[in-house]
Amino acid sequence: LDGSASGKEIEDAYQSLSRQFGPESGNTDIIYDYQKKQALELCALTEELHEKYGCPVFCAGDFNARDSALYSDSDTFIYDLLTETFTDTKKIAVRRSCGKERSNDNAFVDHIFLYGESVKCDYFSLLSQSFFKKISDHYPIFTDFSLNY
């Protein structure tokens, strides 16, 4: 596939690879291009919403993107791309904490990104208590923001 492939073509190619090689085939150039396209679309949409409504925009979720300052692998390119536009709220938090299963020094794949100003992140916590493992393969994030716009 070249750079002009549609989302459907990329998804079909990924499904074909997954059937042949299993789910670990996800770190291919096809997936990289697809993730990069999604990240750039998210950045553009966020800038558009901020411009239109004049308020901060939050983007939260499982980005499978690790902070390259803490971790070095193929999962860091999306984080680097997103943080060209967004602020990672855990980095601006006045207070941070984690549960017993993970530390603040670990590279997260789930993030709450911010676009805009007039927001203070008072508290950021990764709720990594062991009982959350029964709910999901990701720990929830708790944040407390002050909006001043």
Side-chain angles (χ1 to χ4, degrees):
L1 295 174
D2 62 16
S4 66
S6 71
K8 174 83 169 97
E9 290 170 318
I10 292 169
E11 182 63 27
D12 289 347
Y14 175 70
Q15 292 300 327
S16 176
L17 285 172
S18 294
R19 283 191 296 274
Q20 293 175 32
F21 301 105
E24 291 303 315
S25 67
N27 287 330
T28 65
D29 288 340
I30 294 169
I31 300 307
Y32 170 86
D33 290 344
Y34 186 65
Q35 288 175 321
K36 182 177 179 182
K37 180 181 176 188
Q38 285 182 317
L40 292 172
E41 287 174 356
L42 177 65
C43 292
L45 176 61
T46 300
E47 290 170 345
E48 182 182 315
L49 289 170
H50 178 72
E51 178 77 21
K52 183 175 181 177
Y53 296 105
C55 64
V57 179
F58 294 91
C59 295
D62 175 3
F63 291 88
N64 283 325
R66 296 181 182 176
D67 184 344
S68 57
L70 300 173
Y71 205 80
S72 178
D73 73 0
S74 62
D75 293 336
T76 62
F77 76 93
I78 292 295
Y79 181 88
D80 293 340
L81 181 64
L82 290 170
T83 55
E84 289 176 14
T85 299
F86 297 104
T87 300
D88 185 344
T89 59
K90 76 176 164 293
K91 293 193 174 194
I92 62 168
V94 175
R95 293 182 315 136
R96 286 177 54 182
S97 70
C98 282
K100 296 180 179 181
E101 302 291 315
R102 298 278 304 265
S103 76
N104 275 322
D105 297 328
N106 287 26
F108 299 13
V109 296
D110 302 321
H111 302 280
I112 300 175
F113 290 117
L114 165 67
Y115 184 82
E117 298 181 10
S118 303
V119 174
K120 179 181 172 191
C121 184
D122 297 309
Y123 187 63
F124 181 100
S125 181
L126 181 70
L127 304 176
S128 67
Q129 287 74 10
S130 61
F131 58 84
F132 283 115
K133 287 183 177 180
K134 296 176 184 174
I135 300 170
S136 172
D137 62 333
H138 295 256
Y139 294 113
I141 296 172
F142 173 84
T143 55
D144 185 17
F145 295 104
S146 298
L147 305 175
N148 302 310
Y149 67 98

